[in-house]
Amino acid sequence: AGGDIRYFHQAALSGDVTLEDFFTEEYSLNHLIQNYSKPYIALMDGIVMGGGMGISQGAALRVVTERTKMAMPETHIGLFPDVGGGYFLGRCTGAACPKHMGEYLALTGYVLRGGESLHVGLADVCVDSSALPALWDALCQQDWASGEAVVDWLHAQSRITTEQALATTPAWQNAPIDPVFGLATVASIEQALQGADEWSVQTLKALHHQSPLMLCVTLEQVRRGRHMTLADDLRMERDLVRHCFQTDHLSRRGVSSETVEGIRALAVDKDHTPKWQPARIADVTPEMVLPFFESPWPASAHPLRHLR
């Protein structure tokens, strides 16, 4: 269900340098999982958000159930969809998947239910949650000839429920996601959502809960990450997360940063009324956004320079 955001808050306010190590180690782990030599299987039964997506999306087989609730809701706390989010959200794909589904998921934090994640390429197979204990026991008890045999067996065991999940119509099927979330800026997206239909109203409401500044950073992140390798995307996200806590180009650190304020409102004081700076999407400028993508380290000293 994500990382310990209260730790982020405390570390940022106290100047705890282990916060830097946390993100370096987390992103290195995400890269290791993606490139692991043995098949890595993710059983995503229940809430799979934030850091949970980081340790799941690189799996050789991603298994969901009818209880799965999958999302990247980081803009709600003044952050961005990290742990490789620029890479895997930018690559959402499927027969019924809009081209700009990644932008929609990243900006709104929309929660994909159960088999919906199959439609956008963020899961591979679906099983009934009641079947998981038997699957788990079989994984432990059988004598497998190879890792590939494990993956093939799980595909066969889940074929019927996966086909049933793919046959269902996702809630967003008829929503104009591409015409809206394919627009160039968040301000343009906001303007396009001024309609009175239910989807536009709810989508705009979701955007207005998020940090305007981090919405704009996130849109740029997903569009850059779509064309990057995972290693380069994680290096970019490592730069971004440093700027989230030390936004020197805006003369903001610690308690005045979007991320610390967002965590305060959601998880510390729990008043759910973050004071975003700026408060309106229209007031965010490129000069506020683009420095997030400037690395604070030379390439030779980058914390993730070892990723290939």
Side-chain angles (χ1 to χ4, degrees), residues 271-293:
D271 58 24
H272 298 278
T273 56
K275 297 176 176 60
W276 302 126
Q277 301 179 52
R280 301 187 311 151
I281 291 170
D283 293 334
V284 180
T285 67
E287 291 73 28
M288 296 176 184
V289 173
L290 294 179
F292 276 86
F293 295 87

Side-chain angles (χ1 to χ4, degrees), residues 5-6 77 262-272:
I5 60 175
R6 289 185 184 84
I77 58 165
I263 296 171
R264 178 206 65 76
L266 180 71
V268 180
D269 296 338
K270 300 182 181 179
D271 58 24
H272 298 278

Side-chain angles (χ1 to χ4, degrees), residues 38-39 138-153:
K38 297 181 181 180
L139 285 171
C140 299
Q141 292 167 4
Q142 293 194 44
D143 184 15
W144 301 101
S146 66
E148 290 71 23
V150 180
V151 175
D152 290 344
W153 178 81

Side-chain angles (χ1 to χ4, degrees), residues 71-247:
M72 291 296 285
E74 286 78 4
T75 52
H76 194 56
I77 58 165
L79 197 59
F80 62 93
D82 64 336
V83 295
Y87 179 84
F88 60 75
L89 290 179
R91 286 166 170 77
C92 284
T93 184
C97 180
K99 180 181 178 182
H100 295 283
M101 191 70 187
E103 285 93 328
Y104 173 64
L105 296 174
L107 296 182
T108 65
Y110 177 83
V111 179
L112 295 163
R113 304 295 176 123
E116 275 190 319
S117 52
L118 295 170
H119 287 278
V120 299
L122 293 176
D124 301 301
V125 298
C126 183
V127 301
D128 289 331
S129 59
S130 60
L132 285 178
L135 288 177
W136 183 262
D137 289 343
L139 285 171
C140 299
Q141 292 167 4
Q142 293 194 44
D143 184 15
W144 301 101
S146 66
E148 290 71 23
V150 180
V151 175
D152 290 344
W153 178 81
L154 276 168
H155 267 290
Q157 295 298 307
S158 59
R159 181 180 60 81
I160 294 175
T161 47
T162 299
E163 290 176 354
Q164 290 172 341
L166 285 169
T168 61
T169 302
W172 38 262
Q173 179 69 58
N174 297 316
I177 289 175
D178 279 346
V180 174
F181 285 86
L183 294 169
T185 67
V186 178
S188 299
I189 292 170
E190 180 186 39
Q191 186 60 38
L193 291 169
Q194 298 300 318
D197 61 285
E198 182 66 14
W199 182 81
S200 295
V201 170
Q202 292 304 316
T203 303
L204 186 60
K205 182 179 179 181
L207 291 186
H208 284 166
H209 277 299
Q210 328 292 42
S211 160
L213 174 60
M214 296 315 297
L215 284 175
C216 296
V217 170
T218 294
L219 183 63
E220 182 73 14
Q221 171 215 357
V222 171
R223 291 185 173 168
R224 292 188 184 209
R226 179 173 283 132
H227 305 290
M228 288 180 166
T229 64
L230 177 64
D232 286 340
D233 174 75
L234 288 168
R235 276 187 280 270
M236 173 182 71
E237 293 178 9
R238 186 63 186 84
D239 297 340
L240 289 171
V241 81
R242 158 64 83 88
H243 290 307
C244 283
F245 290 97
Q246 301 179 28
T247 317

